[in-house]
Amino acid sequence: KVGNGETKGTNRTMPYMPTIYQLSHTLCIMNGLPACTLCLADEDGNIVCEITLRGDEQEIQLPDDVIGSYELQIEIGDITYTANILL
C-alpha cells in the first residue's frame, strides 16, 4: 500500500518502489533505499520501533524483542510505503 496523503491526484510518474525481503528480524534491501525512516506500528497504530536510515544500508536488524504482527512503514519524503510484517 502506498500513501502520500493526497485524495485527488494528478498524473504522475510512479514513485520509487523499495524491494525488501525478510529473514526473521533482518530486512534485506534489494534495490537500495534513499535516506528515510522505517517504523513498525502495532495494531492500534502505535509506533513500537523507529529507525532512521542513512541510505547506504543493505540490511536492517529489527529488535529481537519485537514479536508479533506489525505494519512496516517506510517514509521517503512525503510518501509512505506500508506492508504487514510478522516477527
Side-chain angles (χ1 to χ4, degrees):
K1 179 169 95 173
V2 178
N4 63 2
E6 295 180 12
T7 55
K8 294 183 180 179
T10 57
N11 293 330
R12 294 184 179 189
T13 304
M14 180 67 168
Y16 170 85
M17 186 69 70
T19 302
I20 298 173
Y21 70 90
Q22 175 188 358
L23 296 172
S24 185
H25 279 71
T26 302
L27 300 180
C28 302
I29 302 168
M30 298 304 297
N31 59 343
L33 282 176
C36 61
T37 303
L38 183 145
C39 299
L40 292 177
D42 66 16
E43 61 187 24
D44 296 322
N46 299 313
I47 302 298
V48 297
C49 175
E50 183 173 318
I51 301 170
T52 300
L53 303 178
R54 297 179 311 270
D56 60 354
E57 294 86 354
Q58 294 180 347
E59 292 185 350
I60 303 161
Q61 184 64 39
L62 300 175
D64 289 331
D65 62 340
V66 178
I67 298 171
S69 181
Y70 296 92
E71 180 180 73
L72 173 66
Q73 303 171 354
I74 301 172
E75 300 171 5
I76 303 172
D78 64 346
I79 297 175
T80 301
Y81 298 91
T82 62
N84 293 326
I85 187 170
L86 182 60
L87 299 170

